[in-house]
């Protein structure tokens, strides 16, 4: 398909630009982050270490904290060793230099954490000044680490998962674009609101340009998001996807951007989630299987999270 539905109106307020030749790849990654690499400024000026530490995976965060702890104690132990191990009272007398260094390392760990068992103590100005500086650095380091731990646990996060694929499914006497999302943790979401934007690279006046279209939804607001929510865009005569075929989705460069915001009772704050679907992630002629059913004793509703991405092929 070389042209878009003439009845659909483009949206110029998306912030993704209009020059298709200057844009590479998808607009938004599957995890909701913008697919943009920033250059032209020093790396240290382009990155927020706080945001990086808050958003990184848990195992990476713990690994960095442990690595910093081991490394900084190794540095201080080396300085103690360089000043002279004899300035640390309580060091056991031995000719094994590794044992001496190990004792200096554990003295550094005790000083850094301000534990101070008292088995080893500094003597002399240099060793005492170094241990005092290390204790201060330790206090500041643990204060920063505590703040990061609290920030990671208290960060308002939309615990929502999206289906891996969008589908073109039967919708009454027509078809509809459908995307499914569901909460996956013990959270209470209220006042959920969704918005879907279609981005396409189309030819206009002999040049390729990015066009964006707001897709009207069957329901764009719901009072409570406790089960799965299937976002449905009816493909009417006014839809930019009108008369799109399976071949069009395979040959057209397009992306569907999804944005959801909702109020989380646990955080007492509004949270947001984003994702996107390129046209090759749209299944033409499919419908989602229901995710929830009643329990065996008919007393509860069972939400099967493993069925989020399950669909059946259908004829359109």
């Amino acid at each position: 398909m070389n042209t878009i539905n003439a009845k659909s109106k483009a949206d110029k307020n998306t912030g993704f630009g209009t020059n298709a030749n200057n844009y590479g790849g998808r607009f938004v990654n599957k995890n909701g982050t913008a697919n943009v690499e920033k250059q032209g400024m020093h790396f240290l000026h382009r990155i927020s270490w706080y945001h990086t530490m808050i958003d990184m995976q848990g195992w990476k965060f713990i690994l960095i904290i442990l690595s910093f702890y081991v490394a900084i104690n190794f540095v201080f132990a080396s300085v103690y060793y360089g000043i002279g191990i004899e300035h640390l009272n309580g060091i056991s007398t031995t000719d094994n230099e590794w044992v001496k260094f190990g004792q200096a390392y554990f003295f550094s760990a005790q000083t850094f954490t301000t534990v101070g068992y008292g088995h080893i103590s500094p003597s002399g100005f240099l060793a005492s000044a170094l241990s005092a500086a290390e204790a201060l650095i330790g206090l500041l380091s643990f204060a920063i680490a505590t703040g990061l731990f609290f920030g990671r646990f208290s960060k308002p996060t939309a615990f929502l998962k999206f289906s891996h694929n969008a589908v073109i499914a039967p919708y009454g006497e027509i078809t509809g674009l459908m995307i499914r999302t569901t909460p996956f943790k013990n959270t209470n979401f209220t006042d959920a609101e969704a918005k879907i934007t279609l981005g396409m690279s189309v030819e206009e006046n002999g040049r390729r340009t990015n066009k964006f279209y707001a897709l009207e939804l069957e329901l764009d607001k719901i009072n409570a998001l406790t089960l799965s929510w299937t976002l449905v865009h009816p493909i009417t005569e006014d839809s930019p996807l009108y008369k799109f075929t399976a071949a069009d989705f395979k040959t057209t460069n397009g992306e569907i951007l999804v944005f959801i915001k909702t109020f989380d009772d646990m955080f007492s704050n509004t949270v947001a989630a984003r994702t996107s679907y390129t046209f090759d992630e749209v299944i033409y002629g499919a419908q989602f299987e229901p995710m929830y059913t009643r329990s065996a004793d008919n007393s509860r509703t069972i939400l099967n999270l493993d069925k989020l991405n399950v669909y059946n092929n259908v004829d359109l």
Side-chain angles (χ1 to χ4, degrees):
M1 176 173 287
N2 295 322
T3 59
I4 197 70
N5 185 2
K7 292 184 179 181
S8 56
K9 296 181 179 180
D11 183 2
K12 298 181 180 180
N13 299 321
T14 60
F16 289 103
T18 59
N19 193 338
N21 293 327
N22 292 345
Y23 213 102
R26 63 196 306 157
F27 298 105
V28 175
N29 297 315
K30 293 296 287 184
N31 63 0
T33 58
N35 186 30
V36 177
E37 178 182 346
K38 298 178 182 178
Q39 296 183 356
M41 188 179 291
H42 192 276
F43 174 77
L44 295 178
H45 294 160
R46 288 186 281 115
I47 188 171
S48 167
W49 292 108
Y50 177 79
H51 286 83
T52 301
M53 295 292 288
I54 291 294
D55 289 334
M56 71 171 48
Q57 292 178 295
W59 68 270
K60 291 183 179 179
F61 177 77
I62 297 298
L63 181 61
I64 288 177
I65 296 296
L66 291 178
S67 299
F68 172 78
Y69 177 78
V70 172
I72 196 169
N73 280 300
F74 183 86
V75 170
F76 275 106
S78 300
V79 178
Y80 285 123
Y81 189 83
I83 291 175
I85 209 73
E86 66 274 7
H87 295 291
L88 298 179
N89 297 326
I91 292 286
S92 60
T93 56
T94 176
D95 293 332
N96 192 321
E97 299 299 325
W98 284 108
V99 173
K100 293 181 180 179
F101 183 84
Q103 294 183 81
Y105 180 88
F106 288 114
F107 169 72
S108 171
Q110 296 169 22
T111 305
F112 187 78
T113 58
T114 67
V115 172
Y117 290 122
H119 175 64
I120 302 175
S121 60
S123 65
F125 176 79
L126 288 179
S128 298
L130 181 62
S131 62
E134 183 180 11
L136 176 61
I137 294 174
L139 286 172
L140 297 177
S141 299
F142 278 100
I144 294 174
T146 301
L148 290 173
F149 270 106
F150 178 77
R152 290 180 62 88
F153 279 103
S154 62
K155 181 184 69 172
T157 303
F159 294 111
L160 292 172
K161 283 190 177 297
F162 294 91
S163 57
H164 183 72
N165 296 102
V167 301
I168 303 296
Y171 179 73
E173 297 181 355
I174 57 175
T175 58
L177 169 71
M178 301 186 185
I179 297 166
R180 189 155 66 177
T181 184
T182 187
F184 62 96
K185 288 187 179 288
N186 55 328
T187 55
N188 293 317
F189 291 137
T190 57
D191 298 325
E193 182 176 352
K195 181 179 181 180
I196 297 181
T197 301
L198 170 65
M200 289 181 57
S201 176
V202 300
E203 186 172 339
E204 188 177 75
N205 299 325
R207 60 188 293 268
R208 304 300 296 182
T209 182
N210 288 329
K211 289 287 187 179
F212 295 90
Y213 304 88
L215 301 186
E216 294 185 2
L217 298 177
E218 174 194 37
L219 290 174
D220 59 3
K221 295 180 181 179
I222 56 175
N223 294 331
L225 180 50
T226 55
L227 299 173
S228 61
W229 184 15
T230 302
L231 307 176
V232 180
H233 164 64
I235 303 179
T236 64
E237 294 181 358
D238 297 325
S239 170
L241 295 176
Y242 185 61
K243 292 186 177 181
F244 259 58
T245 63
D248 292 326
F249 281 103
K250 293 180 179 179
T251 58
T252 306
N253 183 18
E255 185 174 348
I256 299 164
L257 313 176
V258 185
F259 174 81
I260 292 180
K261 64 178 180 179
T262 181
F263 185 82
D264 190 331
D265 290 348
M266 180 184 299
F267 294 115
S268 189
N269 206 339
T270 298
V271 294
R274 291 171 294 271
T275 192
S276 76
Y277 301 85
T278 54
F279 275 5
D280 58 358
E281 294 171 333
V282 177
I283 308 299
Y284 190 89
Q287 62 182 8
F288 291 115
E289 285 190 5
M291 286 185 61
Y292 54 89
T293 183
R294 68 183 64 182
S295 61
D297 59 0
N298 200 27
S299 63
R300 306 190 73 182
T301 300
I302 306 298
L303 179 62
N304 298 294
L305 299 176
D306 56 342
K307 290 187 176 182
L308 175 63
N309 304 306
V310 178
Y311 61 84
N312 296 316
N313 294 319
V314 295
D315 294 327
L316 298 180

